[in-house]
Amino acid sequence: MSPLTIAEVTALPAVVPLLTAARALGLSRNTAYRLVNRGEFPCRVIKAGDTYRVPTLELLVLIGVDRATVEAVLGTGAIR
């Protein structure tokens, strides 16, 4: 599976499943879960029951999308 483009990441909902975040970062499923279990995933991971979710905003910042682009997509005041 190929990594997500920046345009695809900006179109994601506010919170995405761990494997979607892993795809955006070019990580395999096994690597993503290994990093989560070690507490080393490169951005915040929210555990909801038995699933993991990642805030899309943090993915955008991690992959280097500039503040103006994030605010244009998410609205002004999205980043403080």
Side-chain angles (χ1 to χ4, degrees):
M1 197 175 308
S2 62
L4 296 174
T5 65
I6 290 175
E8 290 171 324
V9 175
T10 58
L12 293 172
V15 180
V16 295
L18 177 65
L19 296 182
T20 301
R23 184 172 170 215
L25 299 172
L27 300 173
S28 72
R29 177 183 198 276
N30 290 339
T31 299
Y33 280 107
R34 188 174 329 115
L35 291 171
V36 166
N37 289 330
R38 291 182 188 166
E40 298 175 357
F41 198 79
C43 58
R44 185 168 49 115
V45 176
I46 302 164
K47 185 167 183 175
D50 61 349
T51 62
Y52 296 103
R53 301 283 188 241
V54 176
T56 301
L57 178 60
E58 294 189 20
L59 282 175
L60 291 168
V61 171
L62 185 64
I63 62 176
V65 176
D66 62 75
R67 181 184 181 119
T69 302
V70 172
E71 287 187 346
V73 171
L74 302 176
T76 57
I79 300 176
R80 295 179 193 239

